[in-house]
């Protein structure tokens, strides 16, 4: 008695597979039961099926995007202690998290001393961007520069520049912790030029903009880079205390480490 039903079911499953509607295919029986229980019209049932399919596709897209982004850790805005950093405008950060600056191909500079949460914010904004449908790539400045220099030496610079120009948002972390070689500054300038007004950048740095000449080892190149980054930009400067030092003080580690050296000061 069940043979015609089984054949119809298999045929339907086959069509759903062909259309790549895998969520509807995998949940078919429970979705049909749910629609029947709710006495949904055909139009309402179809809407329910489509919602489930979209939810699954979004989930997979976000999962894949997070993997491709190469974030060093998982952080979100909910976990950021805004009360500890009163110099930071919470509304401005929330605005950045909407991704409008990415749609407009703008730059964000997150400046401040080590340990104040710049990388945490960069990752949180990057994760929000992926959820909103943008492609993101996270890279530390020393690794980025080393990769560009290696590609340049091997005659593959164009290919590497394309790799870094592709994502809608490129996050460059820790610019300024290590000074650039003069050649590296020129390579970084090429990347910034490639992304200028086309792709958004978020750069974290422990150096004020005025000190970037010494970071790049070439004031002319530094000016050219800043001209492009600052043209359409949002600059956030965090002036607070270091989270990491505060945590160490709280646990007594810092006091213990500093005490033996204190008579010599």
């Amino acid at each position: 008695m069940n043979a015609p039903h089984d054949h119809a079911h298999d045929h339907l499953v086959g069509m759903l597979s062909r259309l790549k509607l895998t969520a509807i295919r995998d949940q078919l029986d429970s979705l049909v039961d749910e629609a029947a229980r709710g006495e949904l019209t055909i139009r309402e049932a179809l809407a329910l099926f489509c919602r489930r399919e979209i939810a699954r596709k979004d989930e997979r897209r976000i999962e894949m995007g997070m993997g491709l982004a190469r974030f060093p850790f998982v952080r979100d805005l909910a976990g950021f202690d805004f009360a500890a950093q009163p110099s930071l405008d919470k509304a401005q950060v929330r605005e950045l998290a909407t991704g409008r600056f990415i749609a407009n191909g703008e730059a964000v500079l997150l400046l401040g001393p080590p340990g104040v949460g710049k990388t945490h914010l960069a990752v949180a904004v990057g994760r929000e961007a992926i959820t909103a449908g943008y492609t993101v790539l996270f890279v530390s400045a020393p690794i980025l520069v080393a990769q560009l220099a290696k590609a340049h030496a091997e005659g593959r610079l164009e290919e590497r520049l394309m790799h870094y120009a592709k994502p809608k948002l490129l996050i460059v972390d820790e610019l300024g912790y290590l000074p650039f070689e003069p050649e590296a500054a020129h390579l970084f300038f090429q990347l910034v030029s490639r992304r200028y007004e086309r792709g958004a950048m978020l750069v974290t740095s422990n150096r004020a903009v005025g000190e970037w000449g010494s970071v790049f080892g070439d004031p002319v190149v530094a000016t050219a880079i800043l001209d492009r980054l600052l043209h359409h930009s949002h600059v956030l400067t965090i002036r607070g205390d270091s989270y990491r030092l505060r945590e160490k003080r709280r646990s007594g580690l810092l006091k213990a480490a500093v005490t033996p050296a204190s008579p010599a000061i």
Side-chain angles (χ1 to χ4, degrees), residues 77 82 88-104 106-111 118 121-122 124-130 132 134 169 200-203 232-238:
L77 286 182
F82 283 96
L88 201 56
D89 182 347
K90 193 173 180 178
Q92 193 179 10
V93 174
R94 296 226 173 276
E95 166 60 29
L96 291 178
T98 66
R100 266 189 283 270
F101 81 96
I102 304 169
N104 298 332
E106 296 168 348
V108 172
L109 305 185
L110 274 176
L111 311 175
K118 298 185 300 296
L121 283 177
V125 168
R127 286 172 61 84
E128 292 281 347
I130 289 168
Y134 296 105
L169 173 62
M201 287 183 75
L202 191 159
V203 180
H232 309 285
S233 70
H234 309 263
V235 181
L236 285 75
T237 304
I238 310 175

Side-chain angles (χ1 to χ4, degrees), residues 21-38:
L21 298 173
T22 52
I24 298 175
R25 181 197 66 197
D26 297 345
Q27 302 168 38
L28 188 56
D29 291 338
S30 64
L31 282 169
V32 169
D33 289 348
E34 195 177 327
R37 275 198 312 275

Side-chain angles (χ1 to χ4, degrees), residues 123-196:
V123 170
V125 168
R127 286 172 61 84
E128 292 281 347
I130 289 168
T131 304
Y134 296 105
T135 50
V136 178
L137 180 60
F138 180 105
V139 63
S140 74
I143 288 172
L144 169 66
V145 165
Q147 289 200 357
L148 289 178
K150 186 171 184 282
H152 183 54
E154 294 170 357
R156 295 183 302 102
L157 181 61
E158 183 56 32
E159 183 190 314
R160 209 68 203 147
L161 284 172
M162 277 173 71
H163 169 75
Y164 285 119
K166 212 171 176 184
K168 285 290 179 189
L169 173 62
L170 178 67
I171 300 174
V172 180
D173 194 39
E174 299 194 331
L175 187 77
Y177 284 83
L178 294 171
F180 281 39
E181 298 291 324
E183 181 62 31
H186 285 276
L187 295 173
F188 187 70
F189 169 70
Q190 285 189 54
L191 176 61
V192 171
S193 297
R194 186 71 64 97
R195 294 192 63 89
Y196 178 56

Side-chain angles (χ1 to χ4, degrees), residues 240-261:
D241 194 9
S242 163
Y243 281 118
R244 291 192 281 268
L245 291 183
R246 196 180 306 134
E247 286 306 310
K248 286 197 173 86
R249 274 194 207 103
R250 198 172 288 155
S251 62
L253 283 172
L254 195 67
K255 201 174 173 191
V258 172
T259 307

